[in-house]
Amino acid sequence: MTSQPTLTEAEDGPEKPGEPGSGLQAGLKNRHLSMIAIGGVIGAGLFVGSSSGIATAGPGILLSYALVGTLVVLVMRMLGEMSAANPTSGSFSAHADRALGPWAGFSIGWLYWFFWVVVLAVEATAGAKILEGWIPAVPQWGWALIVMVVLTATNLASVGSYGEFEFWFAGIKVVAIAAFIVVGGLAVFGLLPGVDSEQAGLANLTEHGGFLPGGAGAILTGVLLVVFSFMGSEIPTLAAGESEDPQRAVTKATNSIIWRIAVFYLGSIFVVVALLPWDSQSITDKGSYVAALDSLGIANAGQIMNFIVLTSVLSCLNSGLYTASRMAFSLGQRGDAPGAFARTTARGVPRTAILVSVVFGFVAVFFNYEFPDSVFLFLVNSSGAVALFVWLVICFSQLRMRKIIQAEAPEKLVVRMWLFPYLTWAAAAVIVFVLGYMLTDTEHNGRTTVLLSLLVAALVLVVAFVKQKATARKAGEREALAAED
């Protein structure tokens, strides 16, 4: 494992077009980064996973989303501080490598890569189910194959191709959810004709058992159900290294995270629980957003939502493959993965890193079809808590990196964590608390997820320490041979 470069030298900054292996290139335009940042917080989990949270916590799910959203804002502020000072495709893994040690960068980098290759299988299967419903002549596995191949080809073409696809995918999501909030908001306040005023209204927030029908404890349970739908907010910091102005891109993405979460998560969930009673059977049967659209009398609400969910799935697949490959690229550059991972084409595409990531994604898809209740269930559960591990590592990395940046290049502190170090420690404590609370959750599989994720993390840590010792031993041998000469 190699040490990190100083802050005055970008680890893998954009290169000008050149020969294969010249490095990543600045192929992402500012509009790409802006839409990646906005769309990154709108995952398919928001559309398909919110119904279980509403059923558990009632209108109080708004507090669950607000708590997790606040945590994400704090974590992104820390990550933004480090990434604005040193934009790199390795993002938090590269920062952890320097701040905490090679073992930390190695471990969190590989865990994050593992998380995203499993996500590829989950999202490919979800998208295939929707497409099969529209065109049943093609089997579900066929659609999964088609989707994966198309998006792999997109990522292999150039980083600009990824950015362009993601720009339109994210754009559709943003327009759809913004329209939902506007139309639903008008209905809630009685300004939309043809809506049953007795069903829609702010009274739904307090009637039917009150704002917290399940008690205050349901807020924490709701946190467990919604926390993983926020994964992906860190993607702009990985993509910034291939943008025209990395520092500006990171700063803009960091500063806009508050309104993005407030509008897209809290705004849309507020509309759902105000349009319908939280205990409405339609929310459970159809899903929260489809049920809300149905209540407005919008024809073909289910198919409209399927299209939006499919767009979100394709966006997640596109970003997942990009993110996994760039993390593998960074690991290769630091000597934590095979050197081939760090080689790029003349277009600045890390082809080997992309192909290896998609191959493991295909393997996971195979397990999903052949062994859904054993091997694939293990993969999903064992990667489930990685988001929290990543956030925790970001907290501890920032505590150390602030001192390094101040000592080496204080002018690079263009983004600063608020109330440092108190809010950093507070965020770390909340993450540890959530992990601990998950261990008590047997109803929603929280305990299994944490234990299996900890098992995989422990195995990766063992490999990291073994590799670190081997690297140190080889370095010692080289020094001894040099001394003899």
Side-chain angles (χ1 to χ4, degrees), residues 6-50:
T6 62
L7 286 168
T8 56
E9 298 177 3
E11 177 199 351
D12 50 20
E15 300 279 353
K16 294 180 180 180
E19 296 300 317
S22 63
L24 302 178
Q25 297 176 12
L28 293 177
K29 295 179 171 59
N30 288 331
R31 65 181 177 88
H32 293 153
L33 260 295
S34 297
M35 197 57 74
I36 289 170
I38 295 173
V41 297
I42 310 174
L46 174 64
F47 297 111
V48 299
S50 56

Side-chain angles (χ1 to χ4, degrees), residues 40-253:
V41 297
I42 310 174
L46 174 64
F47 297 111
V48 299
S50 56
S51 56
S52 59
I54 293 172
T56 299
I61 194 65
L62 287 167
L63 296 180
S64 301
Y65 274 103
L67 286 172
V68 179
T70 301
L71 178 61
V72 171
V73 167
L74 295 178
V75 171
M76 280 298 297
R77 189 75 184 180
M78 299 176 220
L79 182 55
E81 177 181 293
M82 296 184 288
S83 296
N86 184 30
T88 164
S89 64
S91 189
F92 50 84
S93 174
H95 304 321
D97 192 309
R98 184 156 195 240
L100 305 177
W103 63 270
F106 178 97
S107 302
I108 204 63
W110 278 113
L111 285 173
Y112 190 71
W113 178 87
F114 172 57
F115 169 84
W116 279 110
V117 295
V118 173
V119 166
L120 291 180
V122 173
E123 300 296 338
T125 303
K129 287 180 179 178
I130 295 175
L131 289 167
E132 186 190 30
W134 291 344
I135 309 177
V138 179
Q140 194 178 117
W141 66 265
W143 279 119
L145 178 65
I146 292 170
V147 167
M148 291 277 276
V149 168
V150 169
L151 292 180
T152 299
T154 299
N155 276 265
L156 285 172
S158 69
V159 67
S161 298
Y162 155 73
E164 200 63 34
F165 267 71
E166 190 57 25
F167 177 82
W168 291 106
F169 286 152
I172 292 172
K173 289 190 295 183
V174 169
V175 170
I177 202 164
F180 174 82
I181 292 172
V182 171
V183 173
L186 291 174
V188 168
F189 293 102
L191 301 176
L192 190 69
V195 174
D196 185 354
S197 59
E198 294 182 1
Q199 186 182 44
L202 296 178
N204 285 325
L205 299 177
T206 54
E207 295 179 354
H208 309 281
F211 186 72
L212 294 173
I219 298 174
L220 291 177
T221 304
V223 165
L224 304 186
L225 295 174
V226 306
V227 66
F228 302 109
S229 66
F230 284 84
M231 195 65 169
S233 55
E234 70 290 335
I235 292 176
T237 64
L238 282 89
E242 294 175 84
S243 68
E244 297 169 337
D245 188 346
Q247 190 177 75
R248 179 177 177 273
V250 170
T251 303
K252 188 175 180 180

Side-chain angles (χ1 to χ4, degrees), residues 443-454:
E443 182 181 355
H444 302 99
N445 221 26
R447 177 182 295 176
T448 302
T449 297
V450 172
L451 292 177
L452 288 179
S453 296
L454 286 173

Side-chain angles (χ1 to χ4, degrees), residues 47-48 50-52 54-55 272 276-292 294 301-302 305-306:
F47 297 111
V48 299
S50 56
S51 56
S52 59
I54 293 172
V272 170
L276 289 169
W278 69 271
D279 54 356
S280 172
Q281 188 62 37
S282 62
I283 292 180
T284 303
D285 294 341
K286 302 177 183 178
S288 52
Y289 288 83
V290 174
D294 271 341
M305 189 51 60
N306 274 339

Side-chain angles (χ1 to χ4, degrees), residues 95-440:
H95 304 321
D97 192 309
R98 184 156 195 240
L100 305 177
W103 63 270
F106 178 97
S107 302
I108 204 63
W110 278 113
L111 285 173
Y112 190 71
W113 178 87
F114 172 57
F115 169 84
W116 279 110
V117 295
V118 173
V119 166
L120 291 180
V122 173
E123 300 296 338
T125 303
K129 287 180 179 178
I130 295 175
L131 289 167
E132 186 190 30
W134 291 344
I135 309 177
V138 179
Q140 194 178 117
W141 66 265
W143 279 119
L145 178 65
I146 292 170
V147 167
M148 291 277 276
V149 168
V150 169
L151 292 180
T152 299
T154 299
N155 276 265
L156 285 172
S158 69
V159 67
S161 298
Y162 155 73
E164 200 63 34
F165 267 71
E166 190 57 25
F167 177 82
W168 291 106
F169 286 152
I172 292 172
K173 289 190 295 183
V174 169
V175 170
I177 202 164
F180 174 82
I181 292 172
V182 171
V183 173
L186 291 174
V188 168
F189 293 102
L191 301 176
L192 190 69
V195 174
D196 185 354
S197 59
E198 294 182 1
Q199 186 182 44
L202 296 178
N204 285 325
L205 299 177
T206 54
E207 295 179 354
H208 309 281
F211 186 72
L212 294 173
I219 298 174
L220 291 177
T221 304
V223 165
L224 304 186
L225 295 174
V226 306
V227 66
F228 302 109
S229 66
F230 284 84
M231 195 65 169
S233 55
E234 70 290 335
I235 292 176
T237 64
L238 282 89
E242 294 175 84
S243 68
E244 297 169 337
D245 188 346
Q247 190 177 75
R248 179 177 177 273
V250 170
T251 303
K252 188 175 180 180
T254 303
N255 291 335
S256 65
I257 187 71
I258 297 176
W259 72 260
R260 286 185 277 137
I261 289 176
V263 172
F264 296 121
Y265 277 86
L266 294 178
S268 63
I269 294 297
F270 167 79
V271 168
V272 170
V273 295
L275 282 176
L276 289 169
W278 69 271
D279 54 356
S280 172
Q281 188 62 37
S282 62
I283 292 180
T284 303
D285 294 341
K286 302 177 183 178
S288 52
Y289 288 83
V290 174
L293 289 175
D294 271 341
S295 73
L296 298 177
I298 296 177
N300 301 313
Q303 291 303 321
I304 292 173
M305 189 51 60
N306 274 339
F307 173 74
I308 297 171
V309 171
L310 177 62
T311 303
S312 297
V313 164
L314 295 177
S315 171
C316 190
L317 269 171
N318 194 37
S319 290
L321 182 53
Y322 171 84
T323 304
S325 65
R326 267 40 177 197
M327 185 57 72
F329 170 84
S330 178
L331 289 167
Q333 275 207 326
R334 289 178 275 140
D336 291 341
F341 285 20
R343 287 200 289 269
T344 58
T345 66
R347 289 176 172 267
V349 175
R351 182 166 52 200
T352 302
I354 291 174
L355 292 176
V356 170
S357 298
V358 82
V359 164
F360 276 87
F362 275 124
V363 170
V365 170
F366 170 77
F367 286 144
N368 193 9
Y369 284 110
E370 293 297 322
F371 312 104
D373 298 322
S374 53
V375 179
F376 188 71
L377 186 61
F378 169 80
L379 291 176
V380 171
N381 285 331
S382 60
S383 64
V386 167
L388 293 171
F389 295 165
V390 167
W391 295 348
L392 194 59
V393 166
I394 289 172
C395 291
F396 291 126
S397 296
Q398 191 262 338
L399 287 169
R400 173 68 179 142
M401 280 299 293
R402 166 65 76 88
K403 297 177 182 178
I404 294 175
I405 298 171
Q406 285 179 324
E408 295 185 1
E411 71 279 1
K412 290 183 176 291
L413 275 174
V414 294
V415 175
R416 288 176 178 266
M417 177 60 183
W418 306 298
L419 296 178
F420 176 82
Y422 307 109
L423 279 182
T424 301
W425 280 111
V430 170
I431 295 168
V432 172
F433 173 78
V434 172
L435 285 168
Y437 190 76
M438 286 180 71
L439 289 172
T440 69

